[in-house]
Amino acid sequence: MCGIFASVGFAPERERISIVAHRGPDGEGWETRSSPAGPVALGHRRLAIIDTSEAGRQPFSDPSGRFLLTYNGEIYNYRELREELIALGDSFRTHTDTEVLLAAWRRWGEHALQRLVGMFAFVIWDDKEKQLFAVRDRFGIKPLYWVEGQGGVAFASEIKQLLDLPGGERRMNLPRVHDFLVGGISNHTAETMYAGIRQLRGGEWAVVDAQDSARVRITVRRWHDMRRASVPSMSSDEAAETFRELMEQSIRLHLRADVPVGACLSGGLDSSAIVGLMSRILPEEHQGLHTVSACFTDKSVDEKPYMDAVVSATDATPHFVFPKPEDVIDHANLITWHQDEPFASTSIIAQWCVFAEAQRTGIKVMLDGQGSDEILAGYHFCYPYHLAHLVRQIRLGAFLSTIMARRREQGRAVASQFAQVAFALAPRALSDVMFKVHSERLKHRWLDTDVLNAIGRQPSPLRTAAESLGLPSPTDVASLCDVMTYASNLPMLLQWEDRNSMAHSIEARVPFLDHRIVEFALGLEAEHKLAGAETKKVLRQALADVLPPAVRDRRDKLGFATPESNWLKGPLRPLIEDGVAKTLETCPGLLNGTGVRRMLDDFLKGRDALGSTLWRIVNLGIWADRFRITVA
């Protein structure tokens, strides 16, 4: 895991890579070339994970000197690819996956991408053709931003590396800021919250043609096919067996490293399953299994009993951190700088504390459970789509039994379930009206300003996310999983994870996002994901023997939750009150001050549960202040 930078046409500035030294404390590299369109620069900050010797230093050149690579990520099947390339006549001077990646590109070009199992963002300069290729992995696990301005184009691991380049403005991209404030969503389109700064989406690549002295030309294409794989109908046992085989294969690959490997453990199904499988496989690769967890004294969000059950079952060495309200005060500004954009929840701070503890423990690679909820419909908000699909299929028996199971096991009121299903069944025009009415009720007209009214009426963030990739708006579990995986939830979670882990010079790996697992899971029928009140059925069945019963049979869902509402009303009340005032001052004209203050008063007096919305307002102000972002 590393930090990269590349530019064509712009004057080379080495500080563009130095600013992300936290992503790679093990070395810095910088090389320049020339082209008809102007200077070419490639920079790299190294976090040494595989072949930690100086042989892995980047930017990395092939023996001919034609190709130059700067690369962030891991190619987990590099050993197999290396043997294949050797059989074809290639030779290698290092044991790095970097050299394998460049050799694969040299031999197969863009067709090499389909052979890669891993997470990656890389840039390759072809000195012969005077072209630069920038590539991002299938699901956007590793970041890659870009900006195009007068005279050039640049790519980088973090947005801050692109600021103040031509086109890299310190100005709000108002539609994306609106989506964040209304729905708490970000990273769901090719745009960022900065005007002019974009990202390659997961599964995309860009070609920069520098052969013309008059201009640099960039073309963005998609290399990964998002069409749902065809998975044959199968029994529960068959689905579980296949899922188990894929998971074991993925864990083995994700344990390839020449440094200590540990795991994030939340006590939920996903992280517990990973730790359980690691405990079976790790003795072949490493000595000992270390886990890091965030715990809370507030029992409403504390999952330590489940963590303890996993630790006991796996004989892991646990490390616990107890995030406090003071951590929010102490770290919010720094975390916002690392995240580059405002973040929607204080749960990010809990994750920050986990990676900070992993760094103190000396663990350099951490496996995490991101992705499972998206590919297997693990969120409770997936149920309305599932129930609506049952209604469309006229499967009323299954519909009613699911409604009653959720009332019995999840405490979901029947009336509220019917209301949610009605929303999911509504035609698009009606759902747009319902969304507008719902958002108006919540916001106390706090977004009713000339600045935001000027961008026009915005669709729901979920619809924006789907349309940004040409995906249909969700109507059932299958289409919802597609959107969550490629466009909405997962890209946002991966951004937070990347920044929090890299801030502590730790490589975070996500075994559920082996593309073979994702393709299989997305192609499964809904019955393998949701059964009554049981979520992620195929996972529970496939890994029943490695999950403690207390974890396997859970029906609640928390994730990296914090006691946010209690914190904001209690010890963090001054932060929220001062933060709201600061945001209104820092972002003049963006928000309706009267409406924001009314919302704050309602929250503090217990009349409305708007703590997460208020946090977004406060964090938006922290971001605007830290990065000197203007409204217009």
Side-chain angles (χ1 to χ4, degrees):
M1 203 73 64
C2 307
I4 65 175
F5 176 83
S7 64
V8 177
F10 295 138
E13 297 176 322
R14 188 161 183 160
E15 59 268 26
R16 299 285 173 182
I17 194 64
S18 299
I19 197 175
V20 290
H22 52 276
R23 297 186 70 93
D26 299 328
E28 179 177 302
W30 180 262
E31 294 197 30
T32 59
R33 297 287 190 272
S34 62
S35 78
V40 177
L42 273 73
H44 189 263
R45 288 294 315 198
R46 187 185 186 201
L47 181 65
I49 301 296
I50 294 174
D51 188 350
T52 60
S53 74
E54 280 298 303
R57 186 179 180 276
Q58 296 184 46
F60 193 95
S61 176
D62 74 308
S64 72
R66 172 180 173 178
F67 296 102
L68 187 65
L69 165 69
T70 183
Y71 152 54
N72 169 29
E74 298 291 352
I75 307 302
Y76 298 120
N77 65 330
Y78 76 99
R79 295 177 185 171
E80 291 78 8
L81 287 173
R82 191 175 192 268
E83 291 304 313
E84 184 178 357
L85 288 162
I86 288 173
L88 292 172
D90 286 8
S91 60
F92 293 86
R93 63 185 189 271
T94 77
H95 295 284
T96 65
D97 61 330
T98 303
E99 187 177 16
V100 172
L101 172 59
L102 189 54
W105 183 271
R106 188 179 66 240
R107 179 168 291 277
W108 296 309
E110 65 183 275
H111 299 293
L113 299 176
Q114 302 296 342
R115 297 170 177 262
L116 303 180
V117 178
M119 55 181 183
F120 47 86
F122 63 84
V123 175
I124 292 178
W125 170 249
D126 183 340
D127 202 49
K128 178 182 178 182
E129 298 297 330
K130 301 301 180 184
Q131 289 184 321
L132 183 142
F133 303 90
V135 183
R136 197 174 182 195
D137 65 64
R138 294 169 177 85
F139 311 112
I141 304 171
K142 293 294 97 194
L144 195 57
Y145 297 93
W146 65 281
V147 66
E148 183 180 17
Q150 184 176 8
V153 62
F155 297 86
S157 294
E158 297 188 8
I159 293 172
K160 61 178 67 68
Q161 297 172 264
L162 302 175
L163 290 173
D164 301 323
L165 284 170
E169 302 181 38
R170 295 181 184 267
R171 181 169 57 86
M172 289 185 187
N173 180 7
L174 290 173
R176 301 293 74 81
V177 169
H178 174 275
D179 288 350
F180 170 75
L181 289 170
V182 170
I185 189 170
S186 60
N187 214 39
H188 58 300
T189 74
E191 299 174 359
T192 68
M193 289 193 225
Y194 297 79
I197 298 180
R198 301 172 65 82
Q199 64 171 325
L200 287 185
R201 309 296 296 277
E204 290 183 344
W205 69 310
V207 182
V208 178
D209 188 341
Q211 297 177 9
D212 189 342
S213 60
R215 62 188 292 262
V216 174
R217 292 175 293 179
I218 180 170
T219 305
V220 177
R221 304 169 182 168
R222 171 156 292 280
W223 67 268
H224 174 62
D225 191 347
M226 295 183 297
R227 286 178 295 183
R228 201 176 305 143
S230 177
V231 175
S233 180
M234 58 182 66
S235 68
S236 294
D237 289 342
E238 291 170 330
E241 181 180 359
T242 301
F243 192 83
R244 174 63 173 258
E245 291 174 355
L246 291 171
M247 278 299 300
E248 288 182 346
Q249 175 181 254
S250 179
I251 293 293
R252 289 183 188 278
L253 287 177
H254 281 74
L255 289 176
R256 289 180 171 177
D258 296 326
V259 296
V261 179
C264 301
L265 176 61
S266 71
L269 273 174
D270 310 326
S271 63
S272 299
I274 288 172
V275 172
L277 286 175
M278 287 176 69
S279 71
R280 304 282 182 96
I281 298 170
L282 257 176
E284 301 177 12
E285 305 284 342
H286 300 271
Q287 293 297 317
L289 169 57
H290 290 255
T291 62
V292 186
S293 306
C295 309
F296 300 92
T297 55
D298 188 324
K299 297 304 179 184
S300 66
V301 294
D302 185 53
E303 299 183 272
K304 192 169 185 298
Y306 301 109
M307 301 168 192
D308 290 339
V310 174
V311 168
S312 177
T314 58
D315 198 27
T317 300
H319 304 269
F320 298 106
V321 292
F322 291 81
K324 305 178 293 296
E326 296 78 35
D327 293 322
V328 180
I329 298 171
D330 294 341
H331 300 314
N333 192 285
L334 178 60
I335 296 175
T336 302
W337 183 82
H338 276 285
Q339 290 290 335
D340 277 331
E341 294 179 291
F343 52 92
S345 168
T346 56
S347 66
I348 305 309
I349 294 170
Q351 188 187 59
W352 171 277
C353 293
V354 165
F355 285 117
E357 179 63 20
Q359 184 184 46
R360 284 191 292 269
T361 305
I363 304 171
K364 208 167 182 179
V365 173
M366 294 284 285
L367 271 58
D368 203 356
Q370 299 286 16
S372 174
D373 284 320
E374 287 73 27
I375 64 176
L376 293 176
Y379 299 108
H380 286 177
F381 64 71
C382 297
Y383 271 101
Y385 294 89
H386 178 51
L387 290 166
H389 185 60
L390 293 177
V391 170
R392 293 188 189 98
Q393 291 183 316
I394 319 179
R395 296 171 58 188
L396 300 184
F399 171 81
L400 291 173
S401 65
T402 302
I403 290 278
M404 301 312 294
R406 294 194 72 208
R407 185 187 71 168
R408 182 175 60 254
E409 299 183 39
Q410 297 176 356
R412 305 285 174 168
V414 172
S416 68
Q417 290 191 65
F418 272 99
Q420 291 172 337
V421 173
F423 185 89
L425 285 169
R428 175 168 177 167
L430 179 58
S431 65
D432 281 345
V433 172
M434 294 168 71
F435 170 75
K436 186 175 188 301
V437 170
H438 177 68
S439 59
E440 287 288 347
R441 180 187 68 81
L442 285 179
K443 65 185 180 183
H444 298 275
R445 301 184 66 82
W446 61 282
L447 292 178
D448 186 8
T449 62
D450 291 342
V451 169
L452 290 176
N453 288 337
I455 66 174
R457 180 176 171 182
Q458 297 294 304
S460 73
L462 185 65
R463 177 162 292 144
T464 296
E467 291 177 350
S468 73
L469 283 176
L471 295 170
S473 294
T475 57
D476 57 11
V477 167
S479 57
L480 178 63
C481 286
D482 289 341
V483 173
M484 290 193 299
T485 298
Y486 288 109
S488 61
N489 294 54
L490 185 58
M492 179 172 61
L493 294 172
L494 290 173
Q495 175 186 327
W496 295 341
E497 175 131 355
D498 172 81
R499 301 308 191 282
N500 275 347
S501 60
M502 293 311 300
H504 298 95
S505 304
I506 288 174
E507 178 170 290
R509 297 180 173 182
V510 281
F512 281 105
L513 295 184
D514 181 305
H515 70 276
R516 294 161 296 192
I517 293 177
V518 174
E519 290 165 4
F520 175 72
L522 292 180
L524 280 177
E525 297 170 328
E527 287 72 17
H528 294 300
K529 302 176 183 181
L530 300 176
E534 182 180 49
T535 59
K536 294 184 278 195
K537 177 185 175 183
V538 66
L539 187 155
R540 295 176 195 265
Q541 185 174 346
L543 302 174
D545 62 317
V546 302
L547 290 168
V551 175
R552 186 187 64 233
D553 298 334
R554 290 187 67 176
R555 294 295 183 267
D556 61 330
K557 179 166 182 59
L558 291 175
F560 271 109
T562 63
E564 185 172 79
S565 183
N566 291 338
W567 280 3
L568 297 181
K569 290 178 180 178
L572 294 184
R573 178 168 179 160
L575 174 68
I576 290 298
E577 292 177 326
D578 294 345
V580 163
K582 179 70 173 177
T583 297
L584 293 174
E585 176 186 346
T586 305
C587 309
L590 179 67
L591 305 176
N592 183 313
T594 300
V596 171
R597 295 185 189 96
R598 186 185 306 123
M599 181 166 56
L600 175 62
D601 186 62
D602 282 353
F603 171 71
L604 294 176
K605 291 180 179 178
R607 290 195 291 261
D608 217 335
L610 296 170
S612 59
T613 303
L614 289 164
W615 167 258
R616 295 198 293 270
I617 293 172
V618 170
N619 195 233
L620 183 81
I622 294 172
W623 167 67
D625 180 65
R626 183 68 194 254
F627 287 96
R628 307 191 312 277
I629 307 299
T630 62
V631 173

